[in-house]
Amino acid sequence: MTMNRKISYTQVSMWRQCPYRWRLKYLLGLEEPEVPAKPGTFDALAMGRAVHAGIEDADVAEAVAMYEREAGKDEKAAIQIRHAVLAALELPVFTGNHHLEFERKIESDVYIGYADVIADGAHVYDIKTTNNAGYLDGTQLLLYASELGREGAKIQYCSYIVLNKLNPRKRETAAQYEERFADYGARVIPVRMDDSQVAAFWRDAYALSTAEEWPKCPGRLCDWCGYKGEHCNGGE
C-alpha cells in the first residue's frame, strides 16, 4: 500500500480504534456521513467548533449562532456553550498578558496537525468539550510539542483545557438545566512530557502505512461511526 497523504493524530487514533474504518476514510477516500445526534444530546462536532470559536473570538453570542447554523436552534445547547466559553475565558491563559496563537498549523513532509492554543511559544493547549477521559492520554499534545520542536520552538508544557458537557435530563426545563451550571468551571489538566508516547505514535503510523489487512473492530464506538449501515454492519 502507498500512502500519499500526511499522517495526523486523528488518522492514527482511528487506526487504533478500527483499521477498517480508517481504510474506508483515508485509503479509499469514502466520505464518512455525520452521525446524527441522539435525542436529548447535542451535536458533538458542532458543539466543539462553536466553543472553540467562542473562546478564540471571546464572543459567546457568535458561538451560539455558529452552533445554530450547523445544528439548529437549541436553548439548552446555547446554555452549555455560554457556560463553557465563559468558564474557559476565566482561565489565566486567557486573562493574563500572554501571546496566544489559535489553530496553529503544524506541518512537515509527513505530518500535519493543528494546535488549539499556543501560549507564549512555550505552552500548548488542547481544548476538549467532552466527558470522555480516553481523549486525555496526552499523545496528541506531546506530538504537537515534538513537531513544534522540529520547527525550532521550545515547548515546555502541554495541557488540556476540559469543558465538560452536561447532558440534559428527560423532562428537564431550560431553567432547571441552567441551575446545574452553578458550580461549572473549566479544568486545566497538565500532561507529563513523555517521548515514549510519541515513539508509539510513529510506530503505529508506520504500521498503518504498510498494512495489507484492515480488520473490523466491533464495539461501542460502532454507534458513532458514519459508515455503519451502508459499508459495515456494526463490525460484522
Side-chain angles (χ1 to χ4, degrees), residues 138-200:
T139 301
Q140 185 177 19
L141 280 167
L142 295 171
L143 188 60
Y144 292 159
S146 175
E147 293 300 307
L148 286 166
R150 295 176 188 273
E151 297 180 5
K154 295 182 179 179
I155 303 300
Q156 300 176 40
Y157 309 101
C158 294
S159 301
Y160 287 106
I161 295 173
V162 179
L163 303 161
N164 285 346
K165 286 189 294 184
L166 300 186
N167 290 320
R169 297 167 180 164
K170 290 183 179 180
R171 295 182 293 276
E172 183 177 44
T173 66
Q176 291 170 331
Y177 181 63
E178 177 91 54
E179 289 175 358
R180 289 203 281 131
F181 284 88
D183 298 319
Y184 187 87
R187 292 182 296 143
V188 177
I189 301 178
V191 172
R192 184 171 63 88
M193 306 301 277
D194 182 358
D195 291 340
S196 66
Q197 288 178 257
V198 176

Side-chain angles (χ1 to χ4, degrees), residues 200-227:
F201 170 90
W202 286 113
R203 285 196 297 271
D204 285 347
Y206 177 78
L208 72 82
S209 67
T210 57
E212 297 182 356
E213 295 182 353
W214 304 271
K216 299 176 182 179
C217 297
R220 62 180 182 82
L221 293 178
C222 290
D223 289 339
W224 285 271
C225 177
Y227 296 117

Side-chain angles (χ1 to χ4, degrees), residues 15-134:
W15 165 264
R16 288 170 171 172
Q17 293 171 358
C18 181
Y20 184 74
R21 183 184 182 187
W22 176 88
R23 176 178 180 268
L24 294 177
K25 186 176 183 72
Y26 293 106
L27 187 59
L28 300 183
L30 298 179
E31 183 175 352
E32 182 174 0
E34 286 196 15
V35 179
K38 294 182 179 181
T41 65
F42 303 131
D43 184 314
L45 292 177
M47 178 70 70
R49 286 189 284 261
V51 171
H52 279 64
I55 294 170
E56 180 174 354
D57 298 332
D59 190 334
V60 174
E62 177 54 31
V64 172
M66 182 177 180
Y67 180 88
E68 292 178 349
R69 287 193 294 269
E70 290 194 43
K73 190 175 181 63
D74 186 325
E75 187 176 4
K76 292 174 184 175
I79 292 171
Q80 168 73 71
I81 292 168
R82 183 176 73 253
H83 282 282
V85 171
L86 291 177
L89 292 176
E90 291 178 355
L91 294 173
V93 63
F94 299 120
T95 58
N97 185 24
H98 299 285
H99 172 70
L100 302 176
E101 293 181 83
F102 289 92
E103 288 299 309
R104 168 69 150 79
K105 186 177 183 180
I106 307 167
E107 187 174 19
S108 68
D109 292 340
V110 295
Y111 173 81
I112 187 167
Y114 294 85
D116 287 344
V117 185
I118 301 177
D120 302 322
H123 196 152
V124 183
Y125 293 89
D126 193 71
I127 302 169
K128 295 295 186 187
T129 53
T130 179
N131 299 333
N132 187 349

